[in-house]
Amino acid sequence: MLLFLGCLLTLSSGALCLDQLNMCMNAKHHKVEPGPEGALYGQCAPWRENACCTANTSEEAHNDNSYLYYFNWNHCGAMSSKCKQHFIQDTCFYECSPHLGPWIQSADESWRKERILNVPLCKEDCEQWWEDCKDDFTCKTNWHEGWDWSSGINKCPAGSQCRKWTDIYPTPKSMCEQIWSNSYLYTTLTKDSGRCMQLWFTGSNPNKKVAEYYLNTAQRGQSFPVTTLLFLTATSFFVTIF
């Protein structure tokens, strides 16, 4: 209770509670806390200054059927290299990002305690991902569930058919939002807006400022003033102990 009161007091001063700007989700391969990882591999290297992934995780993110999730990108024939690079980048973003706090939710799943939901992606990243995959094939809309795992890796479930990407995902929005069960939210916001998360970037991580914007927006939109919450919580606390 005292910790909660302290958190509310922190909010009342305009600070961000529990440091949601710099945290790792409770999931299968994430570190407990973010920090420098100078040896991050390949496409995961942009997160090396502050990462939730280890060097080993970053290397495995580039491998087919890696031990991370034993996921088979080639479930409908060989995935094109230009398409696969986006899934590698997506994996790096998911595993390495320390600035996903505003979108972390509890998850009732055997392999993770938390997930991300409705992370607002920049228009360029989503649309280029779809553009580079539109000539590939898949058999499922939601890749989070419904696979045949009997062989140890995912295969198309019985009764499904491999179809052209654009038949499964007719628009960039449908792909970005449906493929990982609404982990991402399609937006028309561009990278220079500072209001959307970037999968692809160079230099310093631009996503911290985006997360800060959404956290501050959430605070300003609270239903009850923090002072009211403090009063109600304190009253309940003292009634309980006395």
Side-chain angles (χ1 to χ4, degrees), residues 83-182:
C83 180
K84 189 176 295 183
Q85 69 173 341
H86 291 279
F87 285 96
I88 294 171
Q89 196 71 14
D90 162 56
T91 303
C92 290
F93 179 85
Y94 172 78
E95 299 290 347
C96 302
S97 294
H99 307 311
L100 293 172
W103 304 281
I104 291 176
Q105 304 282 329
S106 297
D108 185 18
E109 296 170 310
S110 61
W111 54 283
R112 61 181 180 179
K113 301 294 185 182
E114 293 177 329
R115 61 162 296 182
I116 50 174
L117 186 67
N118 293 327
V119 175
L121 284 190
C122 292
K123 177 181 179 179
E124 301 98 319
D125 284 350
C126 180
E127 293 190 350
Q128 192 61 54
W129 188 352
W130 182 85
E131 182 69 25
D132 286 343
C133 293
K134 67 180 183 181
D135 294 324
D136 283 81
F137 291 79
T138 186
C139 56
K140 284 182 46 58
T141 301
N142 184 354
W143 287 16
H144 261 157
E145 60 187 20
W147 297 98
D148 176 1
W149 287 95
S150 60
S151 65
I153 62 171
N154 59 300
K155 293 184 177 180
C156 293
S160 66
Q161 292 183 337
C162 290
R163 298 161 59 196
K164 192 173 179 180
W165 200 267
T166 50
D167 291 338
I168 301 290
Y169 307 115
T171 64
K173 174 181 169 67
S174 63
M175 183 200 73
C176 289
E177 294 186 348
Q178 295 176 21
I179 197 165
W180 298 127
S181 56
N182 299 112

Side-chain angles (χ1 to χ4, degrees), residues 27-49:
K28 189 173 183 180
H29 299 291
H30 289 71
K31 293 158 51 176
V32 175
E33 295 180 350
E37 289 286 343
L40 291 188
Y41 181 78
Q43 291 177 219
C44 297
W47 285 271
R48 61 185 175 274
E49 292 182 1

Side-chain angles (χ1 to χ4, degrees), residues 181-199:
S181 56
N182 299 112
S183 292
Y184 296 132
L185 178 70
Y186 174 80
T187 76
T188 57
L189 298 166
T190 56
K191 292 186 177 185
D192 59 5
S193 71
R195 300 292 182 263
C196 57
M197 298 293 275
Q198 299 184 33
L199 297 179

